[in-house]
């Protein structure tokens, strides 16, 4: 290496009167290492074979993503978020010229990364360099590495050109433990944090200084900066890539992670590393399970983008393969050990089973997830780095010293209990994600927060805002960290605003399945977000708001638009003809209210949707469609009893497989497995090929074999 000088489920949408639905294995083992030369530190801180040929559709979709984003930024005022031009000294700690691996490797089947530039985290060994691990004090006590981190060698052998080692937060404790690295701007938006953790890797690829980055993620330390900066990231399954040659704070939570702005590069790098799960057809993914309660725990920006996420998932997976999941409820019933880590409940909690009680339990369950992961990380950090920190804490950021003091309080018993919960969670996830299912959840609770006005001396409110953001990020990151399964971060570009992000989680060793899904869903997310933003802008002034006086056609007042007025107008002279006109006017008004309900539903305003559908039912009480649509909105609100009652009324008017599915979901959510089974069996009698009904019956059988239903199940269909 030479010195160098200088990337609709058919049962889940509101219905039309005639047409039922409105749609809105093996890891790589590195060879022995040989010496290589290295670069220098910067003064400023801060012909392919068929095995690697990508599907033409995936390549075209991923390439189109960049043109889509540029077009959206021009069309919707993306210049309001001022992007930052990054300099090498902002992120590069050492400039490299890695063109050959540090060990002799078998020649790759194809140089699929030829011409691509690669940066490495400063926690990864590079031959002849001292590993920095986020701080100069650590680096000063290390011996030069004898070999480069094995997966980095493999990427170089596949054609990548290693150009730099990049900065990260001290001792791998990110994201956002401290404001260290605040001098490195977020390329996605001036004045916003870059996410901390492995911020150098995320900033380098999104700032155009590199095509690809390789680092380690523990408790979101790479996933969060990727989300904040708008990058793709693939956290690999634990065990498929080695940790030898990588310095970690917590080996139990750590996994190698790839970052790029082009999802095809993630896929190619994964193929070069021989990650498992490649070649799986889309049909192998039976369902995408969207964790609605995780999205509900986010800020307003992700909530507003939920319809775009759902639409993109349905476009890729198909309308019959999308399902909503109350993930916290599922965790409550599937991972009993989490209860010991839940904080005390609110003394004034609502009645058991109420939406308020479930919301409170979801918040406590999210906190328990993060607590388990943090106990593991803190205990292992003390075991790995505690003695060193005790000696050097005067040279470390105050937040790192404080973290060390808290970590020293973790007892071995609590650590063992946390590891036991992790085992329970692994087993539960293995069952839940069997048969090709994929979880969809937010990566962060919102866009990258603003930087403190003075990063060197942030105010108490600024520190609290960053603490809460970090806390929620840890809650979302904990599942993949504790289970060791793969997770892919997919950016959600929002025209005129900072990027958001969603994540896909799959079963262990389904890494390339996620990479392939990201290459497809990414462009669709950009398109759906643009459409949603345009619709929201166009309809903002027209969105329905509760009025001081109820709308006449809902409350039965005296407006000239009411069917009662039309009836009075026709009653005197036209007799039967007038009655027909009145009925037609009522039907027209009811249909208008239904359309208003559909718009509210697609926008995620489920309370408004229920009101509009109720108004339609006042005008046309014998409409099975209106009852079915209100049932769907009530399912989204967690009002399962009301949803079941609506389905009962709809089924009296019209037998429908879709309505039976909805009633089965409502019954299942209330713990009525017998009634749900009857509904799903009746669906199969009407539609023998209905996949959802088969899956629900199979799930019921599994639950019964494991001891039966214990309380409400959390599934509710879109």
């Amino acid at each position: 290496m030479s010195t160098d000088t200088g990337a609709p489920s058919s049962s889940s949408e509101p219905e039309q009167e005639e047409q039922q639905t409105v749609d809105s294995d093996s890891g790589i083992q590195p060879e022995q290492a040989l010496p290589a030369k290295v670069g220098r530190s910067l003064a400023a801180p801060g012909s392919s074979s068929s095995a690697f040929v990508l599907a033409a559709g995936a390549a075209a979709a991923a390439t189109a993503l960049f043109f889509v984003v540029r077009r959206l930024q021009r069309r919707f005022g993306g210049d309001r978020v001022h992007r930052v031009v990054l300099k090498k000294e902002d992120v590069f700690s050492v400039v490299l010229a890695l063109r050959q691996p540090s060990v002799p490797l078998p020649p790759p089947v194809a140089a699929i990364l030829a011409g691509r530039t690669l940066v490495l985290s400063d926690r990864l060994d590079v031959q002849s360099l001292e590993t920095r691990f986020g701080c100069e004090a650590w680096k000063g006590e290390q011996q030069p590495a004898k070999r480069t981190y094995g997966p980095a060698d493999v990427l170089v052998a596949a054609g990548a050109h290693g150009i730099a080692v990049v900065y990260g937060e001290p001792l791998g404790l990110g994201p956002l433990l401290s404001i260290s690295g605040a001098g490195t701007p977020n390329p996605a938006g001036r004045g916003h944090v870059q996410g901390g953790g492995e911020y150098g890797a995320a900033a380098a690829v999104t700032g155009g200084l590199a095509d690809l980055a390789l680092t380690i993620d523990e408790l979101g330390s790479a996933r969060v900066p990727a989300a904040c900066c708008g990058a793709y990231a693939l956290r690999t399954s634990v065990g498929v890539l080695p940790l030898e040659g990588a310095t970690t704070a917590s080996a139990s939570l750590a996994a190698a992670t790839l970052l790029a702005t082009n999802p095809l590069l993630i896929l190619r790098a994964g193929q070069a590393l021989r990650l498992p799960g490649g070649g799986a057809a889309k049909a192998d993914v039976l369902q995408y399970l969207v964790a609605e309660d995780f999205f509900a725990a986010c800020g307003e920006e992700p909530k507003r983008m939920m319809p775009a996420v759902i639409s993109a998932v349905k476009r890729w997976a198909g309308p019959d393969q999308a399902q909503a999941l109350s993930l916290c409820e599922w965790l409550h019933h599937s991972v009993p050990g989490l209860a010991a880590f839940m904080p005390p409940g609110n003394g004034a909690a609502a009645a058991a089973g109420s939406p308020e009680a479930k919301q409170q339990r979801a918040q406590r369950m999210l906190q328990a997830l993060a607590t388990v992961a943090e106990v593991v990380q803190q205990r292992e950090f003390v075991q790995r780095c505690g003695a060193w920190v005790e000696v050097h804490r005067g040279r470390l950021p105050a937040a790192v010293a404080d973290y060390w003091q808290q970590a020293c309080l973790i007892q071995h018993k609590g650590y063992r209990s946390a590891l036991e919960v992790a085992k329970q969670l692994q087993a539960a996830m293995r069952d839940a994600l069997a048969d090709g299912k994929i979880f969809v959840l937010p990566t962060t609770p919102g866009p990258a927060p603003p930087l403190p006005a003075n990063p060197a001396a942030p105010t108490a409110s600024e520190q609290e805002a960053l603490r809460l953001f970090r806390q929620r990020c840890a809650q979302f990151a904990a599942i993949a960290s504790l289970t060791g399964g793969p997770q892919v971060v997919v950016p959600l570009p929002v025209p005129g605003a900072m990027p958001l992000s969603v994540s896909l989680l799959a079963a262990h060793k389904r890494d390339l399945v996620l990479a392939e899904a990201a290459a497809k869903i990414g462009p669709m997310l950009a398109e759906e977000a643009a459409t949603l933003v345009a619709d929201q802008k166009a309809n903002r002034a027209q969105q329905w708001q509760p009025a001081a006086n109820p709308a006449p056609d809902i409350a039965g007042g005296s407006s000239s638009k009411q069917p009662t007025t039309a009836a009075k107008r026709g009653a005197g002279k036209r007799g039967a003809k007038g009655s027909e006109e009145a009925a037609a006017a009522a039907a027209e008004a009811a249909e208008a209210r239904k359309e208003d309900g559909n718009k509210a539903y697609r926008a995620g305003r489920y309370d408004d949707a229920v009101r509009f559908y109720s108004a339609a039912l006042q005008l046309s009480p014998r409409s099975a469609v209106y009852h079915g649509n209100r049932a769907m909105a009530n399912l989204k609100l967690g009002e399962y009893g009301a949803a079941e009652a609506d389905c009962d009324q709809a089924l009296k008017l019209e037998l429908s497989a879709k309505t039976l599915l909805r009633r089965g979901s409502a019954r299942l959510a209330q713990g009525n497995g017998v009634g749900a089974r009857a509904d799903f069996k009746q669906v199969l009698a009407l539609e023998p090929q209905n996949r959802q009904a088969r899956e629900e019956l199979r799930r019921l059988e599994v639950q019964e074999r494991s001891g039966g239903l214990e309380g409400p199940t959390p599934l509710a269909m879109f």
Side-chain angles (χ1 to χ4, degrees), residues 118-136:
L118 170 71
V119 293
L120 304 174
S121 166
D122 68 356
R123 62 161 67 195
L124 303 178
D125 287 353
V126 175
Q127 190 180 43
S128 302
L129 284 180
E130 298 86 3
T131 304
R132 185 172 178 273
F133 200 28
C135 56
E136 292 298 323

Side-chain angles (χ1 to χ4, degrees), residues 345-351 360:
N346 185 349
Q360 291 176 14

Side-chain angles (χ1 to χ4, degrees), residues 74-105:
R74 289 195 300 268
R75 181 177 176 186
F76 297 108
D79 56 348
R80 283 178 293 165
V81 174
H82 299 288
R83 290 187 59 84
V84 178
V85 177
L86 216 59
K87 299 177 181 178
K88 289 182 178 180
E89 55 263 30
D90 292 329
V91 289
F92 290 3
S93 67
V94 179
V95 177
L96 307 173
L98 285 172
R99 294 187 180 274
Q100 297 294 329
S102 68
V103 297
L105 296 176

Side-chain angles (χ1 to χ4, degrees), residues 550-563:
D553 54 352
I554 295 177
S558 58
S559 168
S560 61
K561 294 183 179 180
Q562 293 184 74

